[in-house]
Amino acid sequence: IEEMLGYCQREDVGVCGAKLLYPNNRIQHAGVVVGLGGPAGHVLCGAKNGVLTYAGKSNSTQDLSAVTAACMMTPKEVFHQAGGFGEEFQVAYNDVDYCLKVRQMGLLVVYNAFVEAYHYESATRGAEDTPEKKRRLKKEAGLFTSKWPEILEKGDPYYNVNLTLDNGDCRLRGQAEALPKIEDVQQELQQAEKKADRKQRRAV
Protein backbone atom coordinates (compact mmCIF):
# COMPACT_ATOMS: atom_id res chain seq x y z
CA ILE A 1 0.00 0.00 0.00
CA GLU A 2 2.87 2.38 0.82
CA GLU A 3 4.49 1.64 -2.57
CA MET A 4 1.28 2.54 -4.41
CA LEU A 5 0.65 5.55 -2.21
CA GLY A 6 4.08 6.89 -3.08
CA TYR A 7 2.97 7.31 -6.69
CA CYS A 8 -0.56 8.48 -5.91
CA GLN A 9 0.89 11.35 -3.84
CA ARG A 10 2.41 12.78 -7.01
CA GLU A 11 0.30 15.54 -8.53
CA ASP A 12 0.71 14.11 -12.03
CA VAL A 13 -0.50 10.58 -11.16
CA GLY A 14 -4.17 9.61 -11.08
CA VAL A 15 -4.01 5.81 -10.81
CA CYS A 16 -1.51 3.22 -9.59
CA GLY A 17 -1.86 -0.51 -10.25
CA ALA A 18 0.05 -3.64 -9.21
CA LYS A 19 1.48 -6.87 -10.59
CA LEU A 20 -0.98 -9.71 -9.98
CA LEU A 21 -0.13 -13.40 -10.09
CA TYR A 22 -2.02 -16.65 -10.52
CA PRO A 23 -1.51 -19.20 -7.70
CA ASN A 24 1.11 -20.98 -9.88
CA ASN A 25 3.19 -17.76 -10.06
CA ARG A 26 2.35 -16.99 -13.65
CA ILE A 27 1.42 -13.38 -14.38
CA GLN A 28 -2.27 -12.51 -14.37
CA HIS A 29 -1.81 -8.75 -14.71
CA ALA A 30 1.18 -6.61 -15.66
CA GLY A 31 -0.80 -3.77 -17.17
CA VAL A 32 -3.53 -3.35 -19.76
CA VAL A 33 -3.11 -2.63 -23.47
CA VAL A 34 -6.05 -1.00 -25.24
CA GLY A 35 -6.94 -2.97 -28.38
CA LEU A 36 -5.19 -6.17 -27.24
CA GLY A 37 -7.31 -9.20 -28.11
CA GLY A 38 -10.38 -6.98 -28.52
CA PRO A 39 -11.24 -3.75 -26.71
CA ALA A 40 -8.45 -4.28 -24.14
CA GLY A 41 -6.37 -7.06 -22.64
CA HIS A 42 -3.69 -7.89 -20.07
CA VAL A 43 -0.17 -7.77 -21.46
CA LEU A 44 2.15 -10.74 -20.73
CA CYS A 45 -0.68 -12.69 -19.12
CA GLY A 46 0.54 -16.24 -18.54
CA ALA A 47 4.26 -15.41 -18.45
CA LYS A 48 6.31 -16.79 -15.58
CA ASN A 49 6.98 -14.25 -12.86
CA GLY A 50 10.62 -13.34 -12.39
CA VAL A 51 11.57 -14.29 -15.95
CA LEU A 52 12.88 -11.47 -18.14
CA THR A 53 10.06 -10.50 -20.49
CA TYR A 54 10.09 -8.17 -23.49
CA ALA A 55 12.16 -5.10 -22.50
CA GLY A 56 11.76 -6.16 -18.87
CA LYS A 57 8.17 -4.95 -19.18
CA SER A 58 6.57 -7.05 -16.43
CA ASN A 59 9.38 -6.19 -13.99
CA SER A 60 9.57 -2.45 -14.66
CA THR A 61 7.43 0.29 -13.14
CA GLN A 62 6.05 2.35 -16.01
CA ASP A 63 3.26 4.58 -17.31
CA LEU A 64 0.47 2.74 -19.14
CA SER A 65 -2.96 3.47 -20.56
CA ALA A 66 -4.73 1.32 -17.98
CA VAL A 67 -4.42 -1.14 -15.11
CA THR A 68 -6.93 -3.51 -13.58
CA ALA A 69 -9.18 -2.42 -10.72
CA ALA A 70 -8.59 -5.81 -9.06
CA CYS A 71 -5.77 -3.96 -7.28
CA MET A 72 -5.81 -0.24 -7.93
CA MET A 73 -5.21 2.94 -5.94
CA THR A 74 -6.54 6.34 -6.97
CA PRO A 75 -6.92 9.63 -5.07
CA LYS A 76 -10.47 10.28 -3.90
CA GLU A 77 -10.66 13.69 -5.58
CA VAL A 78 -9.49 12.23 -8.90
CA PHE A 79 -12.08 9.46 -8.64
CA HIS A 80 -14.89 11.99 -8.18
CA GLN A 81 -13.61 14.34 -10.89
CA ALA A 82 -13.43 11.47 -13.38
CA GLY A 83 -16.95 10.36 -12.53
CA GLY A 84 -15.91 7.06 -10.94
CA PHE A 85 -16.53 3.74 -12.64
CA GLY A 86 -19.07 3.89 -15.47
CA GLU A 87 -22.21 2.06 -14.41
CA GLU A 88 -22.84 1.06 -18.03
CA PHE A 89 -19.95 -1.39 -17.63
CA GLN A 90 -21.37 -3.85 -15.11
CA VAL A 91 -18.40 -6.24 -15.08
CA ALA A 92 -15.94 -5.77 -17.94
CA TYR A 93 -13.92 -2.72 -19.03
CA ASN A 94 -15.08 -0.42 -16.20
CA ASP A 95 -11.51 -0.17 -14.92
CA VAL A 96 -10.05 0.49 -18.38
CA ASP A 97 -12.76 3.09 -19.02
CA TYR A 98 -11.93 4.76 -15.69
CA CYS A 99 -8.20 4.85 -16.46
CA LEU A 100 -8.84 6.41 -19.87
CA LYS A 101 -11.02 9.08 -18.25
CA VAL A 102 -8.17 9.81 -15.85
CA ARG A 103 -5.77 10.05 -18.80
CA GLN A 104 -8.15 12.55 -20.42
CA MET A 105 -7.68 14.69 -17.32
CA GLY A 106 -3.96 14.84 -18.14
CA LEU A 107 -2.92 12.47 -15.34
CA LEU A 108 -0.73 9.39 -15.51
CA VAL A 109 -1.65 5.74 -14.92
CA VAL A 110 1.26 3.88 -13.31
CA TYR A 111 1.92 0.13 -13.21
CA ASN A 112 4.06 -0.60 -10.14
CA ALA A 113 5.97 -3.83 -10.80
CA PHE A 114 7.22 -4.00 -7.20
CA VAL A 115 3.76 -4.46 -5.72
CA GLU A 116 2.83 -8.13 -6.07
CA ALA A 117 -0.32 -9.95 -4.99
CA TYR A 118 -2.08 -13.20 -5.85
CA HIS A 119 -5.34 -12.83 -7.74
CA TYR A 120 -7.78 -15.71 -8.25
CA GLU A 121 -9.27 -14.20 -11.40
CA SER A 122 -13.09 -14.46 -11.59
CA ALA A 123 -13.09 -16.95 -8.70
CA THR A 124 -16.27 -15.51 -7.21
CA ARG A 125 -18.30 -14.65 -10.32
CA GLY A 126 -17.07 -17.49 -12.54
CA ALA A 127 -15.94 -17.51 -16.16
CA GLU A 128 -17.72 -15.85 -19.07
CA ASP A 129 -19.13 -19.21 -20.17
CA THR A 130 -22.93 -18.88 -20.18
CA PRO A 131 -25.06 -17.39 -22.98
CA GLU A 132 -26.21 -14.61 -20.64
CA LYS A 133 -22.65 -13.69 -19.60
CA LYS A 134 -21.44 -13.81 -23.20
CA ARG A 135 -24.23 -11.44 -24.27
CA ARG A 136 -23.37 -9.05 -21.45
CA LEU A 137 -19.66 -9.15 -22.33
CA LYS A 138 -20.43 -8.50 -26.00
CA LYS A 139 -22.64 -5.56 -25.05
CA GLU A 140 -19.97 -4.03 -22.81
CA ALA A 141 -17.30 -4.55 -25.50
CA GLY A 142 -19.54 -2.66 -27.93
CA LEU A 143 -20.06 0.15 -25.44
CA PHE A 144 -16.31 0.48 -24.88
CA THR A 145 -15.58 0.46 -28.62
CA SER A 146 -18.15 3.17 -29.31
CA LYS A 147 -16.94 5.31 -26.39
CA TRP A 148 -13.20 5.15 -27.17
CA PRO A 149 -12.90 4.86 -30.98
CA GLU A 150 -9.90 7.18 -31.27
CA ILE A 151 -7.44 5.20 -29.16
CA LEU A 152 -8.64 1.95 -30.72
CA GLU A 153 -8.07 3.39 -34.18
CA LYS A 154 -4.70 5.04 -33.49
CA GLY A 155 -3.43 2.37 -31.13
CA ASP A 156 -2.39 2.37 -27.50
CA PRO A 157 0.27 5.11 -27.11
CA TYR A 158 2.13 2.96 -24.56
CA TYR A 159 2.37 -0.13 -26.79
CA ASN A 160 4.80 -0.58 -29.66
CA VAL A 161 2.94 -0.52 -32.99
CA ASN A 162 5.25 -3.28 -34.29
CA LEU A 163 3.98 -5.76 -31.69
CA THR A 164 0.98 -8.02 -32.20
CA LEU A 165 -2.46 -7.34 -30.74
CA ASP A 166 -3.47 -10.99 -31.15
CA ASN A 167 -1.58 -12.12 -28.05
CA GLY A 168 -0.17 -10.26 -25.08
CA ASP A 169 3.29 -11.82 -25.25
CA CYS A 170 4.81 -8.78 -27.03
CA ARG A 171 6.00 -10.77 -30.02
CA LEU A 172 6.44 -9.01 -33.35
CA ARG A 173 3.46 -8.98 -35.68
CA GLY A 174 3.45 -12.20 -37.68
CA GLN A 175 5.79 -14.12 -35.37
CA ALA A 176 4.86 -17.53 -34.00
CA GLU A 177 3.09 -17.51 -30.65
CA ALA A 178 5.43 -17.68 -27.66
CA LEU A 179 3.34 -17.45 -24.50
CA PRO A 180 0.77 -20.08 -23.49
CA LYS A 181 -2.85 -19.26 -24.15
CA ILE A 182 -4.94 -18.30 -21.13
CA GLU A 183 -6.92 -21.55 -21.52
CA ASP A 184 -3.68 -23.51 -21.15
CA VAL A 185 -2.72 -21.55 -18.03
CA GLN A 186 -6.13 -22.24 -16.48
CA GLN A 187 -5.85 -25.94 -17.34
CA GLU A 188 -2.41 -26.04 -15.73
CA LEU A 189 -3.89 -24.50 -12.57
CA GLN A 190 -6.70 -27.08 -12.47
CA GLN A 191 -4.25 -29.95 -12.87
CA ALA A 192 -2.05 -28.58 -10.07
CA GLU A 193 -5.07 -28.24 -7.78
CA LYS A 194 -6.18 -31.82 -8.49
CA LYS A 195 -2.65 -33.11 -7.83
CA ALA A 196 -2.50 -31.21 -4.52
CA ASP A 197 -5.93 -32.55 -3.56
CA ARG A 198 -4.91 -36.16 -4.26
CA LYS A 199 -1.72 -35.69 -2.26
CA GLN A 200 -3.70 -34.31 0.68
CA ARG A 201 -6.16 -37.22 0.60
CA ARG A 202 -3.29 -39.74 0.62
CA ALA A 203 -1.75 -37.95 3.61
CA VAL A 204 -5.01 -38.26 5.55
Side-chain angles (χ1 to χ4, degrees):
I1 290 175
E2 290 178 352
E3 277 280 346
M4 299 173 79
L5 182 61
Y7 282 95
C8 284
Q9 286 178 324
R10 284 173 39 179
E11 293 182 358
D12 59 342
V13 172
V15 174
C16 184
K19 180 194 289 186
L20 300 180
L21 307 173
Y22 287 112
N24 63 352
N25 287 315
R26 286 188 179 270
I27 293 172
Q28 190 271 337
H29 171 267
V32 173
V33 173
V34 179
L36 178 62
H42 290 193
V43 69
L44 296 169
C45 183
K48 291 182 179 180
N49 188 36
V51 174
L52 182 65
T53 54
Y54 169 79
K57 196 167 180 64
S58 63
N59 303 316
S60 304
T61 296
Q62 62 206 266
D63 299 331
L64 295 175
S65 287
V67 293
T68 181
C71 185
M72 171 193 288
M73 182 179 288
T74 185
K76 181 179 179 180
E77 60 272 18
V78 172
F79 186 80
H80 288 305
Q81 288 174 23
F85 295 113
E87 293 184 6
E88 67 271 31
F89 300 102
Q90 296 178 6
V91 176
Y93 308 117
N94 49 54
D95 44 9
V96 186
D97 175 67
Y98 173 72
C99 287
L100 293 182
K101 289 190 293 186
V102 170
R103 292 286 299 121
Q104 274 191 333
M105 295 167 57
L107 298 174
L108 298 172
V109 174
V110 177
Y111 159 69
N112 191 327
F114 300 98
V115 178
E116 294 186 2
Y118 287 101
H119 178 44
Y120 292 75
E121 184 182 27
S122 305
T124 53
R125 65 179 175 84
E128 308 284 7
D129 55 1
T130 67
E132 182 181 358
K133 288 181 179 179
K134 288 178 180 178
R135 283 194 297 270
R136 190 262 311 146
L137 181 62
K138 185 177 180 180
K139 177 184 176 183
E140 292 174 351
L143 285 170
F144 184 89
T145 301
S146 62
K147 186 173 181 179
W148 301 102
E150 186 175 352
I151 188 171
L152 286 166
E153 182 180 343
K154 292 183 177 180
D156 191 318
Y158 292 101
Y159 191 67
N160 191 323
V161 296
N162 297 301
L163 303 180
T164 183
L165 290 172
D166 295 332
N167 188 295
D169 58 10
C170 296
R171 59 190 162 91
L172 292 173
R173 291 176 185 265
Q175 272 193 336
E177 189 173 307
L179 276 182
K181 294 181 179 179
I182 186 63
E183 294 83 1
D184 297 333
V185 174
Q186 291 172 338
Q187 185 177 13
E188 181 182 323
L189 278 170
Q190 291 172 355
Q191 291 173 347
E193 288 171 357
K194 288 179 181 178
K195 184 177 180 180
D197 186 54
R198 287 195 300 267
K199 185 176 181 180
Q200 186 177 14
R201 285 203 301 269
R202 285 199 298 270
V204 174

